[in-house]
Amino acid sequence: EVQLVESGGGLIQPGGSLRLSCAASGFTVSSNYMSWVRQAPGKGLEWVSVIYSGGSTYYADSVKGRFTISRDNSKNTLYLQMNSLRAEDTAVYYCARDPGTGTAFDYWGQGTLVTVSS
Amino acid sequence: DIVMTQTPLSLSVTPGQPASISCKSSQSLLHSDGKTYLYWYLQKPGQSPQLLIYEVSNRFSGVPDRFSGSGSGTDFTLKISRVEAEDVGVYYCMQSIQLPLYTFGQGTKLEIK
């Protein structure tokens, strides 16, 4: 069974850093396109970042230069390192799988809440 | 960047009645490989989004056949033939032709009358 479990969210002051984790089971992270998608309180979905199976990484303009996506193949886990956090980064962060075969974002995690506030 | 525009932003439907949501993209979602990269998701209250429809009209595993998708180019529609109480939530369309950038519509909130 495919499962994605996020962790690492919490309350952080503006300018701070946080690392989110997404532990996968039932499939191999490194064989898929893995993304982070966020949802600000009461708002819609916003794609944040993707890491391709080949290792290439891409970011939304809103987080470029501040966030870094990575994966640990030995742990089958996806990460999002978030630096220089701003109030507008407050959101639930979901990891999602795109197998690259047409069913984009076929599985999602339950999400982890990041609150940036002083 | 491709902009996805959904209408309406909210709708209230009597159980058993049909519902329809429109999604328009600012550029064609038809790829040179012949596929159209348009998806529909449902986010039920308090839950993560779930995939309903992929590549315009293909129902994902386990999705009831009362859900159907249609359209081409820049105009797409999600239809629910007979709305049930469990269908409440926010529906999003999304494009993935412009990878690595995925773009979602604003969302359409479905409520039951």
Side-chain angles (χ1 to χ4, degrees):
Chain A
E1 180 193 4
V2 172
Q3 255 195 322
L4 294 165
V5 179
E6 299 96 336
S7 60
L11 175 62
I12 188 76
Q13 291 189 340
S17 298
L18 211 55
R19 189 178 82 155
L20 306 183
S21 301
C22 171
S25 57
F27 73 100
T28 302
V29 163
S30 61
S31 299
N32 291 264
Y33 305 166
M34 296 297 299
S35 277
W36 289 95
V37 177
R38 69 184 180 182
Q39 186 171 37
K43 302 298 184 182
L45 301 170
E46 178 191 18
W47 172 79
V48 172
S49 180
V50 64
I51 182 167
Y52 283 175
S53 49
S56 298
T57 59
Y58 299 92
Y59 302 90
D61 287 345
S62 57
V63 306
K64 202 173 294 182
R66 300 187 299 122
F67 289 12
T68 302
I69 191 171
S70 64
R71 67 189 183 211
D72 184 329
N73 296 343
S74 66
K75 295 182 178 179
N76 208 33
T77 297
L78 178 73
Y79 300 101
L80 186 67
Q81 177 67 43
M82 304 186 295
N83 299 330
S84 303
L85 282 161
R86 306 167 180 168
E88 54 265 35
D89 296 319
T90 295
V92 174
Y93 285 74
Y94 299 99
C95 59
R97 182 185 85 160
D98 179 353
T101 55
T103 55
F105 297 163
D106 56 356
Y107 289 94
W108 298 64
Q110 86 287 355
T112 186
L113 175 62
V114 173
T115 303
V116 184
S117 175
S118 54
Chain B
D1 295 354
I2 296 177
V3 176
M4 307 295 287
T5 302
Q6 291 181 228
T7 55
L9 296 184
S10 67
L11 70 165
S12 183
V13 182
T14 300
Q17 293 302 302
S20 180
I21 300 170
S22 171
C23 176
K24 297 184 187 296
S25 58
S26 59
Q27 300 175 34
S28 175
L29 302 187
L30 174 62
H31 195 274
S32 57
D33 64 7
K35 297 180 180 180
T36 300
Y37 292 95
L38 185 282
Y39 305 82
W40 290 97
Y41 299 86
L42 165 60
Q43 186 174 30
K44 296 182 178 182
Q47 296 186 18
S48 306
Q50 58 188 83
L51 176 63
L52 294 176
I53 302 287
Y54 64 96
E55 293 177 357
V56 180
S57 59
N58 299 287
R59 277 187 302 275
F60 187 56
S61 175
V63 175
D65 60 8
R66 63 179 181 275
F67 290 93
S68 63
S70 63
S72 63
T74 61
D75 290 354
F76 306 93
T77 302
L78 175 71
K79 292 182 179 178
I80 309 172
S81 59
R82 295 174 303 279
V83 170
E84 297 187 5
E86 65 181 25
D87 300 336
V88 298
V90 181
Y91 291 79
Y92 296 93
C93 61
M94 186 196 78
Q95 68 81 23
S96 69
I97 193 174
Q98 201 177 44
L99 286 182
L101 178 63
Y102 300 86
T103 313
F104 293 91
Q106 322 96 298
T108 295
K109 185 174 185 178
L110 174 65
E111 297 178 328
I112 298 294
K113 280 184 181 176

